Amino acid sequence: MKNSSISNDKYIIGIDIGGTNIRAALLDEERNIIEKIKIENQVKEGPEYNLDKIINHINDNWKDRNIKGIGVGSPGPLDIKNGIILKAPNLQGWDNFNVKKYFEEKTSLKTEVNNDANVAGLAEAMIGSAKGAESVFYITVSTGVGGALIIDNKIINGANSFAGEICNLIINEDKYSHSG
């Protein structure tokens, strides 16, 4: 029997929703990347149009794996408890979209959603350069500036999912000057 161990292995899928690209990776239990894909995020086409490309790949290519679930990192702000993108500045038109529900309905896989900076911080704490650290504060600079607080390999979301957020940083003070 060819590759009989595949059915015993367990996998997870990680998805990163970005303003420019959406990435997905199939990972084994040791969090090794087995396969990954990247698609252009055509934001103006809406969430269904873009996410369906990833969902189709999952259903067509990864469904025969023993997948435990999907983890999605998305720009915020989010309703993390319900898996909803509230009003992300770089995902205009995706307001109040329930990512968790959409993935669960289309793939039949348990899905969790969290802020993209939080899941990146968690990855650093678990398998990256912060592996073994009791607490980690992670900063990301991309389309925006984000932060994450990780303690004992757990994301600290806080009451309104803003525990690690850096929010509005004034980088160039002259730009905010009131003189003139």
Side-chain angles (χ1 to χ4, degrees), residues 25-158:
L26 178 69
L27 299 101
D28 64 17
E29 288 181 286
E30 288 78 40
R31 295 180 178 83
N32 298 307
I33 296 174
I34 304 303
E35 184 183 340
K36 59 186 176 179
I37 62 166
K38 176 175 87 169
I39 63 157
E40 180 184 356
N41 189 352
Q42 298 171 333
V43 174
K44 292 180 181 179
E45 298 296 330
E48 293 94 344
Y49 174 85
N50 290 287
L51 297 177
D52 280 349
K53 294 177 193 176
I54 296 292
I55 288 167
N56 290 338
H57 185 84
I58 291 168
N59 289 333
D60 293 344
N61 300 291
W62 296 345
K63 264 309 208 182
D64 63 338
R65 307 288 181 127
N66 185 7
I67 299 172
K68 297 188 326 187
I70 298 173
V72 178
S74 173
L78 305 169
D79 172 348
I80 290 173
K81 290 179 182 160
N82 295 303
I84 299 170
I85 298 171
L86 296 176
K87 191 172 178 75
N90 58 341
L91 295 177
Q92 290 187 7
W94 293 39
D95 298 358
N96 301 308
F97 183 77
N98 193 321
V99 176
K100 176 182 172 70
K101 181 179 177 185
Y102 195 74
F103 270 96
E104 288 181 344
E105 287 177 355
K106 296 279 189 165
T107 66
S108 301
L109 294 168
K110 180 176 173 15
T111 301
E112 295 295 329
V113 178
N114 209 305
N115 179 275
D116 52 0
N118 286 348
V119 296
L122 181 62
E124 282 298 328
M126 294 180 80
I127 60 173
S129 60
K131 184 176 180 176
E134 183 178 316
S135 61
V136 175
F137 189 78
Y138 178 85
I139 298 173
T140 180
V141 180
S142 185
T143 305
V145 178
L149 177 60
I150 312 297
I151 298 177
D152 295 326
N153 286 340
K154 292 183 181 67
I155 296 171
I156 306 302
N157 287 309

